[in-house]
Amino acid sequence: MTDLSTDSKTAWHTVGIDQALSQLDSNGDTGLTAQSVIDRRRQYGPNELEEVGGRPAWSILLDQFTNIMLLMLIAVAVVSGVLSYRNQEFPKDAIAIFAIVILNGVLGYLQESRAEKALAALKQMASPSVRVQRDGRLQEVPSQDLVPGDIMLLEAGDQVAADGRLLEASNLQLRESALTGEAQGVNKQATRTLAAETGLADRKNLVYQGTEVVQGRGRVLITGTGMKTELGRIAAMLQGVETEPTPLQQRMTQLGNVLVTGSLTLVAIVVGAGVFFGGWGAFERLLEVALSMAVAVVPEGLPAVITVTLAIGTQRMVRRQALIRRLPAVETLGSVTTICSDKTGTLTQNKMVVQQVRTLSQALQVTGEGYAPEGEFIGEGQPVDPRQVADVGLLLVDGLLCNDSVLQKEAGDWAIMGDPTEGALVVMAAKSGLDRHRLGNELQRVAEFPFSSERKRMSVVFSGVDALAADLTLPEALASAPYLMLAKGSPEMLLECCTHGLKGTEQFELDQETRSRILDSSAAMAAQGLRVLGFAYRPITTVPDEGDPDRAERDLVWLGLVGMIDALRPEVRAAVQRCRAAGIRPMMITGDHQLTAMAIAQDLGIADAEAKSLSGADLEAMGQAELEAAVKEVNIYARVSPEHKLRIVKALQKDHQIVAMTGDGVNDAPALKQAEIGIAMGITGTDVSKEASDMVLLDDNFATIVAATEEGRVVYTNIRRFVKYILGSNIGELLTIALSPLILPILDVPLSPLQILWMNLVTDGFPALALAVEPAEPDVMERPPHDPQEGIFARGLGAYMLRIGIVFAIISVSMMVWAYQHAQQGGDPDRWKTMVFTTLCLAQMGHAIAVRSNTRLTIEMSPWSNPFVLGAVILTCVLQLMLIYVEPLRNFFGTHLLSSKELLICFGFSTLLFVWVEAEKIYRRIRGKVVRD
């Protein structure tokens, strides 16, 4: 069998019909033979997307226990269990530690194990069956049986089952929004051959798998199936994207490495010094000290607190119309430095709105938002009644009646049924006061010439023209005509059919100067990013033959131009300004035309008049190194393909940017998955884009991204707040345990592993959860984003934790020395341990209250701004007292009864840490030094 070379990168849009049939060894009339189909299926395989196997669940679960802190806890649990066995004790410490290890492993597994469903959603876009020409007969076959060279038939309502080169097209229009991101239908032309650099969205002679036929019919030569389609290339890119750890995950890894390294170093010093001074006889006691130190340094409650904090963040974001699909994305949003946004539906309303009307007598601006029929026509700064100006009024009627769309109210909002472009014309006419229902009843449509991609225009013929006199000032030639032809379409193509023009009520013959002026006006409107349509009419005496549009659409009278644009969302300008104030760079990446993209970007403040923009063709000519340099300056990208979006995201990431990328189409899925934050559209988004995303915008609104970023910053600030609270306490515990055998060698370990777990889970956990809901500071969106590469200890956090840990240890050791001497004077000699345990726990409560702000004193903050902190402190204090005074708990945790005097002394020592933190704030205030989280 001949090698058909469909695996090569043939640019099928550059190939003529005969050449394409020859290259694929196919017959345009009879199709392939049955034997040829069998041979090709064997060579190319089924028309299906292939899936690369992902990680199995057991591998994901096992990976959770490779975390360095969990490995150290496992080792501690094993040693603790061995010691308990030797001493013939119940291994409650080992069991408790193993339980914490398992809990943290399960939490990590649940976050990471969410199966990717993007490829499954891609597969669902395949058509179940398709009509093909084989052996000269029309057959219906399963879509997976298609092979290159098949002849596929399309008609309105069909879903395209494979990529192909058009052989015939009759009024064929496809909706390619899933691939290109643009909602407008695309008119196809089989006879055209295009330049090699023509972008995906402009390849009028090709059809693509996963797109839909809106109208017309066509015959297609299949050029690519399975993974060789555009959809297949997207699937390959999607599976080729590697998931990178989030900034929070990277910082937690760094934290674990530092804590474990520091702990093991300190353990080595303490054990070494103990053996050196006390001999090997003290080794077992030193081993118990080492175990307690290892448990103390690991913040066992931190993963659970972070998980709950992120979950709380997701709930707050849902209230702001952002649905988080992956929990770590909450914190990552707070680190975003660049937002790459699509245009249609995100920055704009996805509602075409007329902004300008230009006739030969008037240049009018049209006001109003969306589809609401409310607005004015403004000429030279003054409102104008367009129905009183003959050429303008007739143009409005043309737009209203040469139209199949309907304006209606749905659930209290105005909506368009039909084509968005025609809908904009209906709304424009409604703003002038024209009554579509009445005119539709009085004027009867007697002939129609539908839009075709060759003619680029449509026209309709009406009887009952005299009914227009009630609404408009009519030119004389129209008053006596029995029929009226109304036409609209491409200004260039429609103007060629016009011999006369209408200026006010005066009809005159068009000269070359007027024609040039009309085309210059059209070009000027297009340069503003407007979609421009031309309008014309002709009074006629007989109904023309509907089979001959070229003969009917001649000797037309030019009316004017209408410029429309996808209306901007009114709240987006303010959202872009908030982005810039917060140091976040907004960018536009769209499939729309470059002029339209630039006009909207300048209007929104994303770019200024001097800004550069790049097209898909420009990106195609660039190497990755050139693109990495360009993305530092260029904010506008137009007519881009899926590969271009992916390359732009990678180039930004190479510059150490944290990228949020929006998208709604299948084409956006690889870039959504590559970006740190992939944001899908909840209303217009495909299932593929949603499954590839980290966040879904429930209202498809750019302003919601900015609101979610604000919530992300609040979450990140709160995470840093409770990390320094928890680890400051842990370092204090670690130093206290390490110093106890060195200061008083006769002492036992003051804290058991079980008591340390209590502190790390309960006395650390509850206040940390309360700190997680601390409200946002007023200037949270007036600061630049944090450096994406900063470590967990950046901006003084490490120094603070070490400083507080040392102060904590000094207070605790001082208490320990006093308590030991006091305990030897009578009563239970081991109650000094409980006094140290209680002092440590209560001191953490004062720390939780003080750590709410770096700058404001506690007396300057209302306790009711975050009542959860106060509640957590009271609850934890009560639980701590229960460990001392409730006998079953006292026996289990190994505590001892304290007198009221001893308890008061514990409270007194514990307040010293609160006093220290408040004193630091006063000192910084005096020095004029502000430290922010």
Side-chain angles (χ1 to χ4, degrees):
M1 177 182 163
T2 304
D3 181 6
L4 303 180
S5 302
T6 57
D7 290 347
S8 65
K9 295 182 178 179
T10 303
W12 292 104
H13 57 284
T14 68
V15 176
I17 292 173
D18 292 339
Q19 184 184 346
L21 286 166
S22 174
Q23 187 167 334
L24 286 169
D25 194 16
S26 184
N27 187 300
D29 297 321
T30 62
L32 298 174
T33 64
Q35 185 58 47
S36 181
V37 170
I38 292 171
D39 293 340
R40 296 182 191 213
R41 193 177 301 139
R42 187 179 301 118
Q43 181 180 357
Y44 298 107
N47 179 32
E48 294 177 338
L49 300 183
E50 300 169 5
E51 186 169 0
V52 177
R55 290 168 65 204
W58 64 265
S59 173
I60 297 172
L61 181 61
L62 196 61
D63 279 353
Q64 307 310 311
F65 299 99
T66 59
N67 177 285
I68 190 168
M69 290 193 289
L70 289 189
L71 285 175
M72 189 171 76
L73 279 181
I74 291 171
V76 168
V78 170
V79 175
S80 176
V82 170
L83 289 177
S84 297
Y85 177 76
R86 277 190 59 190
N87 297 328
Q88 296 185 340
E89 296 174 347
F90 180 70
K92 58 185 179 183
D93 291 344
I95 291 171
I97 295 169
F98 269 125
I100 295 302
V101 169
I102 292 170
L103 176 63
N104 282 323
V106 169
L107 279 175
Y109 171 79
L110 291 176
Q111 283 192 40
E112 196 176 334
S113 64
R114 186 175 190 135
E116 289 295 340
K117 299 179 182 176
L119 190 62
L122 266 178
K123 288 183 174 181
Q124 290 175 5
M125 297 186 69
S127 175
S129 61
V130 62
R131 290 178 305 134
V132 295
Q133 192 86 22
R134 288 178 179 172
D135 285 324
R137 295 184 297 108
L138 185 63
Q139 304 176 29
E140 186 164 313
V141 300
S143 61
Q144 61 264 32
D145 287 351
L146 285 177
V147 294
D150 259 328
I151 306 300
M152 175 174 64
L153 278 69
L154 296 176
E155 62 183 21
D158 284 350
Q159 196 169 38
V160 181
D163 288 5
R165 171 65 166 90
L166 277 167
L167 304 178
E168 298 175 8
S170 176
N171 197 27
L172 183 64
Q173 187 180 82
L174 270 72
R175 183 180 292 113
E176 297 181 342
S177 56
L179 279 178
T180 65
E182 296 306 311
Q184 295 293 327
V186 179
N187 297 300
K188 296 294 182 177
Q189 296 172 313
T191 55
R192 294 184 64 181
T193 54
L194 303 168
E197 64 271 13
T198 305
L200 182 76
D202 297 316
R203 295 174 187 173
K204 309 292 187 183
N205 56 4
L206 301 184
V207 299
Y208 298 105
Q209 183 181 21
T211 59
E212 304 168 60
V213 180
V214 178
Q215 66 181 35
R217 54 185 176 80
R219 285 167 58 86
V220 178
L221 171 68
I222 300 299
T223 57
T225 58
M227 297 301 286
K228 300 301 181 184
T229 62
E230 284 295 321
L231 213 58
R233 290 196 308 112
I234 291 171
M237 285 191 289
L238 197 58
Q239 295 182 93
V241 173
E242 295 183 4
T243 304
E244 296 292 332
T246 68
L248 179 62
Q249 290 167 334
Q250 293 171 359
R251 289 165 183 147
M252 288 300 103
T253 300
Q254 178 200 15
L255 175 64
N257 292 338
V258 170
L259 289 179
V260 171
T261 303
S263 172
L264 292 178
T265 303
L266 198 54
V267 164
I269 292 172
V270 170
V271 173
V275 170
F276 180 79
F277 290 109
W280 285 101
F283 181 75
E284 186 169 327
R285 188 169 66 85
L286 290 170
L287 191 58
E288 292 177 2
V289 172
L291 292 179
S292 294
M293 290 171 63
V295 175
V297 78
V298 176
E300 290 87 0
L302 188 59
V305 172
I306 288 177
T307 300
V308 172
T309 302
L310 297 176
I312 292 170
T314 65
Q315 295 304 309
R316 287 207 299 257
M317 289 183 183
V318 165
R319 289 196 287 270
R320 301 183 77 166
Q321 300 299 306
L323 176 66
I324 300 296
R325 296 189 66 252
R326 292 179 178 86
L327 212 51
V330 176
E331 178 274 336
T332 309
L333 275 163
S335 305
V336 164
T337 60
T338 305
I339 298 176
C340 299
S341 177
D342 192 13
K343 173 186 70 67
T344 306
T346 309
L347 299 172
T348 64
Q349 299 180 40
N350 201 16
K351 296 177 180 178
M352 299 299 289
V353 176
V354 173
Q355 290 193 334
Q356 295 184 28
V357 176
R358 294 191 186 184
T359 66
L360 295 172
S361 69
Q362 297 281 337
L364 304 177
Q365 298 289 324
V366 185
T367 65
E369 297 285 347
Y371 289 146
E374 302 162 358
E376 293 183 313
F377 293 76
I378 308 296
E380 298 182 354
Q382 298 295 322
V384 173
D385 183 353
R387 294 176 300 176
Q388 300 305 310
V389 184
D391 52 359
V392 179
L394 199 51
L395 183 150
L396 296 178
V397 170
D398 191 338
L400 180 64
L401 298 181
C402 188
N403 198 315
D404 294 314
S405 292
V406 177
L407 176 66
Q408 61 188 30
K409 262 197 172 182
E410 294 180 356
D413 291 327
W414 290 98
I416 289 293
M417 298 294 291
D419 181 77
T421 300
E422 291 196 333
L425 300 175
V426 174
V427 174
M428 173 185 69
K431 289 176 180 178
S432 73
L434 288 174
D435 186 341
R436 169 73 176 269
H437 181 70
R438 186 182 65 79
L439 288 176
N441 288 335
E442 295 184 358
L443 278 79
Q444 300 298 315
R445 185 182 293 194
V446 294
E448 179 177 355
F449 301 93
F451 180 90
S452 75
S453 52
E454 290 80 13
R455 291 164 38 246
K456 291 189 177 181
R457 60 182 180 269
M458 71 168 289
S459 55
V460 290
V461 178
F462 287 91
S463 63
V465 181
D466 53 340
L468 293 175
D471 293 283
L472 307 175
T473 301
L474 298 177
E476 290 183 14
L478 189 58
S480 57
Y483 300 104
L484 170 65
M485 172 177 279
L486 299 173
K488 75 172 190 292
S490 158
E492 295 83 2
M493 300 288 281
L494 191 60
L495 188 59
E496 290 178 6
C497 301
C498 295
T499 56
H500 291 75
L502 185 67
K503 184 175 183 179
T505 57
E506 177 190 354
Q507 183 172 309
F508 63 97
E509 188 171 342
L510 288 174
D511 55 25
Q512 192 56 45
E513 181 183 351
T514 306
R515 290 178 183 273
S516 297
R517 195 163 67 247
I518 290 170
L519 293 176
D520 289 344
S521 291
S522 176
M525 292 168 74
Q528 298 172 42
L530 299 175
R531 183 175 188 186
V532 185
L533 290 178
F535 294 83
Y537 81 102
R538 179 163 72 101
I540 53 179
T541 56
T542 59
V543 178
D545 178 9
E546 289 183 304
D548 191 357
D550 290 331
R551 181 170 182 173
E553 295 170 337
R554 63 183 185 181
D555 299 330
L556 300 180
V557 181
W558 179 261
L559 285 171
L561 301 165
V562 165
M564 63 185 71
I565 199 166
D566 190 356
L568 299 179
R569 288 183 177 271
E571 64 275 16
V572 168
R573 285 190 188 89
V576 169
Q577 290 174 0
R578 288 192 75 202
C579 267
R580 294 202 174 280
I584 300 170
R585 176 188 178 193
M587 297 172 64
M588 182 194 293
I589 303 177
T590 179
D592 208 342
H593 293 282
Q594 212 161 350
L595 288 173
T596 304
M598 279 301 299
I600 289 176
Q602 290 172 17
D603 196 356
L604 290 173
I606 293 175
D608 56 31
E610 306 300 320
K612 296 179 182 177
S613 67
L614 292 175
S615 68
D618 298 328
L619 296 176
E620 202 66 45
M622 283 184 172
Q624 192 63 17
E626 292 177 278
L627 179 58
E628 287 166 9
V631 294
K632 296 178 181 179
E633 299 178 2
V634 179
N635 286 344
I636 311 301
Y637 300 85
R639 302 310 263 180
V640 294
S641 70
E643 293 94 333
H644 298 150
K645 293 187 178 187
L646 191 58
R647 287 182 62 200
I648 291 167
V649 172
K650 287 181 176 179
L652 288 166
Q653 290 172 330
K654 192 72 179 290
D655 191 36
H656 306 297
Q657 301 299 307
I658 302 294
V659 182
M661 173 79 184
T662 73
D664 56 3
V666 174
N667 61 326
D668 297 318
L672 291 178
K673 192 173 179 182
Q674 177 68 40
E676 282 82 0
I677 295 290
I679 304 172
M681 304 297 108
I683 299 173
T684 60
T686 60
D687 289 343
V688 181
S689 64
K690 290 175 186 176
E691 290 297 340
S693 71
D694 302 289
M695 182 175 93
V696 177
L697 297 183
L698 300 179
D699 59 358
D700 290 10
N701 195 334
F702 180 84
T704 300
I705 305 173
V706 182
T709 302
E710 179 182 356
E711 290 290 351
R713 287 191 174 190
V714 174
V715 167
Y716 180 53
T717 299
N718 286 342
I719 287 175
R720 281 178 56 89
R721 185 175 285 123
F722 64 63
V723 163
K724 73 180 182 182
Y725 162 70
I726 289 175
L727 293 184
S729 304
N730 282 27
I731 292 171
E733 296 166 19
L734 178 68
L735 293 176
T736 300
I737 296 166
L739 291 172
S740 62
L742 299 179
I743 293 175
L744 291 173
I746 60 171
L747 292 183
D748 292 332
V749 182
L751 301 170
S752 70
L754 192 61
Q755 290 171 345
I756 295 169
L757 285 176
W758 170 267
M759 286 193 292
N760 288 354
L761 292 174
V762 179
T763 58
D764 283 353
F766 288 146
L769 285 173
L771 290 169
V773 294
E774 192 69 27
E777 296 182 15
D779 62 345
V780 69
M781 289 299 282
E782 295 171 13
R783 314 172 195 165
H786 305 310
D787 183 353
Q789 299 182 84
E790 76 171 22
I792 187 68
F793 303 111
R795 290 180 282 129
L797 185 63
Y800 175 89
M801 293 188 304
L802 189 59
R803 188 170 64 248
I804 292 301
I806 292 171
V807 173
F808 211 158
I810 291 171
I811 294 170
S812 302
V813 170
S814 301
M815 169 56 149
M816 181 171 58
V817 173
W818 180 89
Y820 178 76
Q821 293 173 347
H822 169 73
Q824 305 314 306
Q825 297 173 8
D828 186 346
D830 284 336
R831 66 185 186 278
W832 66 271
K833 298 179 183 179
T834 301
M835 293 182 72
V836 173
F837 178 38
T838 304
T839 299
L840 282 168
C841 292
L842 296 178
Q844 287 169 254
M845 299 305 98
H847 190 202
I849 293 171
V851 83
R852 288 183 59 199
S853 174
N854 275 337
T855 55
R856 291 179 294 165
L857 299 174
T858 300
I859 58 173
E860 295 172 341
M861 295 184 291
S862 168
W864 308 115
S865 61
N866 186 357
F868 298 103
V869 170
L870 187 60
V873 166
I874 293 171
L875 174 63
T876 307
C877 287
V878 170
L879 292 172
Q880 180 64 28
L881 294 177
M882 288 174 66
L883 262 60
I884 301 170
Y885 297 107
V886 176
E887 187 172 357
L889 293 175
R890 185 168 66 245
N891 294 336
F892 184 78
F893 282 92
T895 59
H896 304 268
L897 277 172
L898 298 180
S899 67
S900 57
K901 177 184 174 182
E902 290 166 340
L903 187 60
L904 285 173
I905 291 171
C906 293
F907 271 102
F909 267 93
S910 65
T911 57
L912 294 176
L913 184 62
F914 172 80
V915 172
W916 176 274
V917 177
E918 294 295 282
E920 279 195 1
K921 295 178 188 177
I922 294 172
Y923 175 75
R924 286 197 298 267
R925 187 175 293 182
I926 293 171
R927 292 286 302 273
K929 185 178 179 181
V930 177
V931 179
R932 294 194 181 279
D933 282 314

